[in-house]
Amino acid sequence: MAKYIIVADDLTGSNATCSLLKKVGLRAASIFQLPKTKIETIDVISYSTDSRGISKEEAYERVKDAVSFLKSEETLLYNKRIDSTLRGNIGSEMDAMLEQLEEDRIAVVVPAYPDSGRIVVNKIMLVNGILLENSDAGRDPKTPVNTSCVEELIQKQSKYSSHYFSLQDIAKEEEKLVKEIELYGKENRVLIFDAVTNEDIIKIARLMNRSNLKIITVDPGPFTMYYTKELQKKNNLEKKILMVIGSATETSKKQIEHILQHEEIFLEKMNPNNFFVEESRQQEIQRVVSMIKKGIDSYDLFLITTTPIGNDEKLNLPEIAKMKGVSVEEISKIISNTLTEAATLVLEEVQKFEGVYSSGGDITLALLEKLNSIGVEIKEEVIPLAAYGRLIGGKFPNMKLVSKGGMVGKEDTIKLCLNQMKSDI
C-alpha cells in the first residue's frame, strides 16, 4: 500500500492535499472508492469519505473503515485532512483514526493555511482578517461553524484530552520546545498549534520530526506537506533535482519564467560577466555552491542559470570576444564550462540530488564531460527533441537526466520534464 495515507471528508479537499504533496515530488492519487487491489506506482493515496455533512456517528464509522482498510506497516504518514474553515466532524473523524492506529500515536492539529488567508492566533481562527464564526463558513447552511476558538471546537468534538501551543510557545528555543512537545504528547492524545505564517508551520513540522512521537497530521494541507518534507529528509527519500540552463534563447527565458511561477524553486543566477577573469570566475562558482548548500534542506528543485530573466540584459558575445581577442565559440565555451563546473561541484558537495535537467547542447556535453560520464542510456522521449535517461558511468552512474535543446519546447516544457523525472525517482 502507499506510504502516505490521507483521509479527507470531501473530494475537493482530498485533491487539494494531493496537489501539495505533488510539490514535494510524490505521486498522489485522490480516490472516492477504496481500491480492490494495490495501486502501483503511487506514493500517496488520498481517500474521501464524503462525510462533512453527515452525522458524527456515521462520519466516525466511515473514517474507521477507511483507516482499517488503508493502514499498513509500510505507511510513513497518516493525515486526517480537515476543512480549512473547520467545518465538518473534525473531532469524531480524528478520534476514529486514532483508535484504528497504535495507542501511542497522537493527533497534531495545525489548522492554519496562511496562503489562503487562514491563520490562528491565541486559539482564534481568522479568515482573511475576519473571525471564523463571522465568515462565510460560520453562515454555511449545511455545516455552520459557531465558534472561532480552535481549542473549544476540538475539545467539544473529540473525547481525548488536548494541549495547546500558542505563538508565544512556538517562538521558544527549539531544544526546549521539543522537550515540551514530548512531555505533553505523552499526557494527551491531541496537540493543537497556533500558526500565522508558513515559517511557523515549517518550524512545527521540524519540531514534530525531531520529537520521538508517532503522529497523525490533522490539517488542511500545509502542515502535512512540510512534515512530509521533514520525513523525506529523515528517511533519505528526498527527490531533489538540479536544473542547469545556459541557453540565452527567448524560448528558454519563457520556460524559466513559467516554471518559477508554478514551482517552488531555489534560483541562483550566475553573472557571466565574472567568468572571464579566473579569480572572479572561481569566486562566482564558490558563491553559487555556497548558496545552494545553504538552501538544500528547504527546497527540492534548484536552478543554476546564465539565461537572462525578466529585465536582465542579454550578453553580447561578439563584443566580448572582440574585447578579449578570442572567438565567439571560445567565449561560449567559457560560459558553458563555468556553469557546468558550478553544477558539478554542487552535485559532488551536496550528494542529495537524484536527477539533473540540462538545457542547451553545449551545456549537456560540458556537464557529462565534467561528470566523467561516457553518455546517456536513453529511456524515452519526453517531448520531441527532449530525451530522458540515466548517466552511464562516471561520478554519478545512473543519475537521472533530461536534456533538451535551448530552442525546444513550449512554456511548460520544463515542468513536463521535471514531472517525468519525479515519477521515476
Side-chain angles (χ1 to χ4, degrees):
M1 195 57 76
K3 291 184 181 294
Y4 303 84
I5 301 298
I6 300 165
V7 178
D9 65 357
D10 82 333
L11 189 60
T12 302
S14 172
N15 294 344
T17 297
C18 279
S19 296
L20 289 176
L21 294 186
K22 283 282 287 181
K23 289 184 177 182
V24 298
L26 297 178
R27 297 161 292 187
S30 180
I31 62 176
F32 58 91
Q33 292 183 356
L34 292 173
K36 294 180 180 179
T37 59
K38 182 178 179 180
I39 303 177
E40 300 293 341
T41 70
I42 289 295
D43 301 309
V44 181
I45 288 182
S46 183
Y47 172 64
S48 169
T49 53
D50 191 26
S51 53
R52 183 174 298 172
I54 63 178
S55 71
K56 63 181 181 180
E57 293 81 12
E58 188 177 355
Y60 178 96
E61 291 299 322
R62 288 190 188 183
V63 172
K64 182 189 78 171
D65 292 344
V67 177
S68 176
F69 181 87
L70 293 170
K71 67 181 180 180
S72 79
E73 292 182 359
E74 299 176 1
T75 303
L76 292 175
L77 172 98
Y78 291 99
N79 167 237
K80 179 70 215 49
R81 200 280 176 184
I82 62 173
D83 176 51
S84 66
T85 53
L86 305 182
R87 293 172 297 170
N89 299 292
I90 293 174
S92 61
E93 294 188 7
M94 181 178 68
D95 289 358
M97 185 170 263
L98 284 171
E99 286 162 18
Q100 286 301 306
L101 300 172
E102 308 95 320
E103 290 185 2
D104 60 345
R105 190 177 291 269
I106 67 169
V108 178
V109 185
V110 186
Y113 201 147
D115 290 347
S116 293
R118 279 77 163 140
I119 63 173
V120 183
V121 186
N122 295 326
K123 305 180 182 181
I124 301 300
M125 175 170 277
L126 300 175
V127 179
N128 296 319
I130 300 172
L131 286 171
L132 173 61
E133 61 198 278
N134 295 332
S135 69
D136 288 342
R139 297 185 292 270
D140 187 89
K142 291 178 63 178
T143 55
V145 181
N146 300 316
T147 179
S148 301
C149 180
V150 175
E151 183 180 50
E152 178 186 339
L153 186 147
I154 297 295
Q155 288 182 341
K156 280 184 177 180
Q157 294 188 14
S158 173
K159 70 179 186 180
Y160 292 109
S161 64
S162 64
H163 180 82
Y164 205 99
F165 289 87
S166 67
L167 282 178
Q168 190 173 8
D169 293 322
I170 296 168
K172 292 178 182 177
E173 192 271 329
E174 289 200 12
E175 292 294 336
K176 182 178 180 181
L177 192 48
V178 168
K179 291 178 182 178
E180 289 185 17
I181 287 171
E182 289 178 340
L183 173 64
Y184 289 113
K186 291 175 182 176
E187 297 176 352
N188 303 275
R189 289 295 297 275
V190 182
L191 302 181
I192 314 171
F193 288 82
D194 273 352
V196 171
T197 66
N198 286 329
E199 286 68 29
D200 292 333
I201 301 175
I202 290 169
K203 183 175 182 180
I204 296 166
R206 186 167 62 246
L207 292 166
M208 295 313 308
N209 188 52
R210 288 183 59 187
S211 76
N212 293 314
L213 299 172
K214 290 188 287 186
I215 73 168
I216 297 166
T217 60
V218 182
D219 76 310
F223 173 56
T224 293
M225 179 181 71
Y226 292 123
Y227 184 67
T228 296
K229 292 183 75 171
E230 293 295 326
L231 286 178
Q232 288 178 319
K233 286 186 278 187
K234 188 174 184 178
N235 294 280
N236 297 314
L237 297 172
E238 299 164 285
K239 299 186 177 184
K240 297 187 184 296
I241 296 172
L242 179 65
M243 292 172 277
V244 188
I245 304 176
S247 170
T249 65
E250 191 65 24
T251 299
S252 291
K253 178 181 176 180
K254 289 181 179 179
Q255 289 171 352
I256 291 174
E257 291 171 348
H258 180 83
I259 196 66
L260 289 174
Q261 291 176 354
H262 291 84
E263 296 280 358
E264 291 186 24
I265 291 175
F266 190 99
L267 169 65
E268 272 304 316
K269 295 193 289 184
M270 297 192 77
N271 184 355
N273 289 306
N274 294 332
F275 291 2
F276 307 111
V277 175
E278 184 59 21
E279 183 179 356
S280 61
R281 191 182 82 87
Q282 288 299 329
Q283 288 175 348
E284 182 69 358
I285 290 171
Q286 291 302 324
R287 180 191 66 79
V288 169
V289 174
S290 175
M291 293 301 294
I292 289 182
K293 287 167 76 172
K294 289 178 181 177
I296 195 65
D297 290 332
S298 301
Y299 291 80
D300 291 322
L301 300 175
F302 294 78
L303 169 58
I304 307 174
T305 185
T306 54
T307 303
I309 305 171
N311 296 322
D312 294 346
E313 288 188 13
K314 188 175 181 179
L315 215 60
N316 189 328
L317 297 189
E319 184 178 302
I320 295 172
K322 185 177 180 180
M323 287 175 56
K324 299 293 180 181
V326 297
S327 67
V328 171
E329 178 66 18
E330 286 176 287
I331 293 296
S332 180
K333 281 188 176 181
I334 290 172
I335 294 172
S336 60
N337 280 329
T338 304
L339 180 59
T340 54
E341 187 175 333
T344 300
L345 279 174
V346 167
L347 293 172
E348 289 176 341
E349 295 191 19
V350 173
Q351 294 286 330
K352 287 190 174 183
F353 289 95
E354 293 287 335
V356 176
Y357 169 92
S358 68
S359 180
D362 53 343
I363 298 297
T364 303
L365 178 59
L367 183 62
L368 292 180
E369 288 175 344
K370 289 178 177 59
L371 295 177
N372 297 333
S373 175
I374 65 169
V376 182
E377 174 198 349
I378 302 300
K379 295 190 69 176
E380 59 186 292
E381 183 181 66
V382 183
I383 63 166
L385 301 178
Y388 170 59
R390 297 169 184 260
L391 300 187
I392 301 171
K395 298 176 181 178
F396 295 93
N398 297 318
M399 171 79 76
K400 286 82 174 176
L401 174 76
V402 172
S403 62
K404 76 166 195 68
M407 294 183 286
V408 171
K410 300 178 182 178
E411 280 191 352
D412 64 348
T413 292
I414 296 178
K415 189 173 179 64
L416 292 173
C417 292
L418 293 179
N419 288 341
Q420 178 63 55
M421 257 193 293
K422 288 178 185 179
S423 68
D424 196 35
I425 293 175

